[in-house]
Amino acid sequence: MPRSPLLDLAFGFMPAQMIHVAAELGVADAFTDGRPSSSTELAEAIGAHAPSLHRLLRGLTGLGVVEQKEPDLFALTEEGRRLRADAPDSIRSLIRLFCGPQVWRTWGDMAETVRTGEYAWERVTGSTPFEYFASDAELSATFNRAMAEHTRDIAPAFVEAHDFARYGTVADLGGGDGTLLAAILRAHPGIRGVLFDLPTGLADASGPLAGVADRAEIVPGDFFEAVPAGPGAYVLKSVIHDWDDEKAAAILRNCRAAMGPDDRVLLLEQIMPEMVAPESAGIVRNDLNMLVATGGRERTEAEFRELLDSAGLRAVSLTGPLRETAYHVIEAAVAD
């Protein structure tokens, strides 16, 4: 009887945790000057048990993270280099967040979520995700870096796809450390920007905004209460999918209240197809992550239009998927 491919999928937690441990312990960062190192050297650098680390390194060899040069000599591969905190294309924080204990526990409780419709994060941690991040400075910093890593990869396509020069000021709502806003301002020297987020989200904003700080205003606030009036465009990147329809509509209604007749809301989101196929696996997994972790959802184009309508907005254009990404830009204006 042939081996079922479902077994490889079911055992997918094993490589996920191997990579997570490498990211969590800083294994890639311990390779100095790009030279091969032994498990003993690496263990001393990161404070690990050398024999156990040797066994992990053998596992990471099979995943293409390291290359085994000798029985106890390993070299970091080009892909493994992305687990370094200082790599320009680092994904270390993304892996630490999404394979970390909190997200891990929410996925482990998915059966109860499917039974009840109640998202797992609050059930297993006792608080909502953003309340939890606010109470844990280290996890909050990891979350902020992870979001910046993800934004860094899609920002060029967003900037390329939309004409931001038509706005005098662009506000990035829930913009975190300003990675996206900085990319917009660098590409358009004639405009100004507003970075708006909770204080915990803005903690690291000085770095990404350093080169455009003279044109960027940092405004702490809560988009469930109000958003700044005045900008010509309000960008919400991967914000609406975090929330159920009621909360998502509340955010959009606050945007509507602050907007003038010619202003725009720009949603940077993935769009769920009406009929999924194997190539839809990425967005379907994202949707399930929202199901267990935040109570939000990935939406179809029709669902986005209904949501905008409920907030007094109308979709005027849909662009995407953007180059080398799964993201679309939904441009919305004040409804007539």
Side-chain angles (χ1 to χ4, degrees):
M1 183 177 295
R3 174 183 171 86
S4 170
L6 294 179
L7 288 174
D8 291 328
L9 297 175
F11 296 146
F13 73 93
M14 294 180 179
Q17 278 302 302
M18 290 158 61
I19 295 170
H20 172 254
V21 171
E24 184 69 21
L25 297 184
V27 172
D29 299 277
F31 285 88
T32 57
D33 303 322
R35 62 177 180 81
S37 299
S38 69
S39 58
T40 301
E41 292 173 313
L42 295 170
E44 183 176 349
I46 65 175
H49 180 243
S52 299
L53 180 59
H54 182 266
R55 295 165 71 174
L56 176 63
L57 289 164
R58 289 189 306 200
L60 294 172
T61 298
L63 300 179
V65 175
V66 298
E67 180 183 358
Q68 190 174 24
K69 297 290 190 179
E70 296 178 10
D72 190 22
L73 192 67
F74 298 87
L76 198 62
T77 65
E78 186 63 22
E79 191 60 31
R81 183 189 56 79
R82 299 189 68 183
L83 295 181
R84 292 182 61 92
D86 61 358
D89 55 352
S90 176
I91 55 173
R92 181 175 182 239
S93 293
L94 276 166
I95 290 170
R96 291 185 68 204
L97 176 66
F98 285 102
C99 292
Q102 294 80 16
V103 174
W104 198 255
R105 288 168 62 196
T106 65
W107 274 78
D109 205 40
M110 182 184 286
E112 186 64 14
T113 292
V114 172
R115 288 190 191 102
T116 65
E118 300 171 355
Y119 75 98
W121 185 290
E122 188 167 10
R123 186 168 57 249
V124 301
T125 69
S127 61
T128 68
F130 296 102
E131 289 170 346
Y132 195 92
F133 294 146
S135 69
D136 187 323
E138 183 178 355
L139 182 60
S140 179
T142 298
F143 174 82
N144 291 340
R145 287 192 297 267
M147 295 303 99
E149 288 172 359
H150 180 249
T151 300
R152 172 203 66 209
D153 290 342
I154 65 174
F158 183 38
V159 171
E160 175 187 279
H162 192 80
D163 179 20
F164 289 95
R166 60 199 255 212
Y167 312 112
T169 303
V170 174
D172 188 1
L173 306 182
D177 73 350
T179 293
L180 182 59
L181 183 64
I184 294 170
L185 296 182
R186 285 195 301 268
H188 299 282
I191 68 174
R192 301 187 63 81
V194 174
L195 182 63
F196 182 83
D197 207 332
L198 296 170
T200 51
L202 298 170
D204 299 319
S206 59
L209 292 176
V212 293
D214 60 324
R215 293 186 286 126
E217 181 183 4
I218 298 175
V219 179
D222 184 343
F223 48 43
F224 285 113
E225 297 177 359
V227 303
Y234 294 87
V235 174
L236 294 113
K237 177 253 167 196
S238 300
V239 168
I240 296 303
H241 81 154
D242 281 338
W243 307 101
D244 61 25
D245 286 349
E246 181 180 353
K247 291 185 174 67
I251 297 169
L252 294 171
R253 279 194 294 271
N254 284 337
C255 292
R256 169 64 182 85
M259 292 168 65
D262 297 322
D263 297 342
R264 293 291 186 264
V265 166
L266 304 174
L267 305 183
L268 184 56
E269 295 275 359
Q270 298 185 46
I271 294 181
M272 178 72 75
E274 293 285 354
M275 298 290 292
V276 301
E279 56 268 26
S280 312
I283 189 170
V284 170
R285 289 172 187 161
N286 288 343
D287 182 57
L288 289 171
N289 190 54
M290 295 299 102
L291 175 68
V292 297
T294 71
R297 63 187 305 139
E298 303 294 351
R299 293 175 172 86
T300 65
E301 180 182 347
E303 288 170 335
F304 272 115
R305 290 183 182 276
E306 290 175 9
L307 184 64
L308 289 165
D309 288 345
S310 73
L313 299 167
R314 59 182 175 87
V316 297
S317 71
L318 173 66
T319 305
L322 305 186
R323 175 178 54 84
E324 297 181 357
T325 81
Y327 280 79
H328 295 71
V329 182
I330 305 170
E331 180 180 347
V334 173
D336 298 330

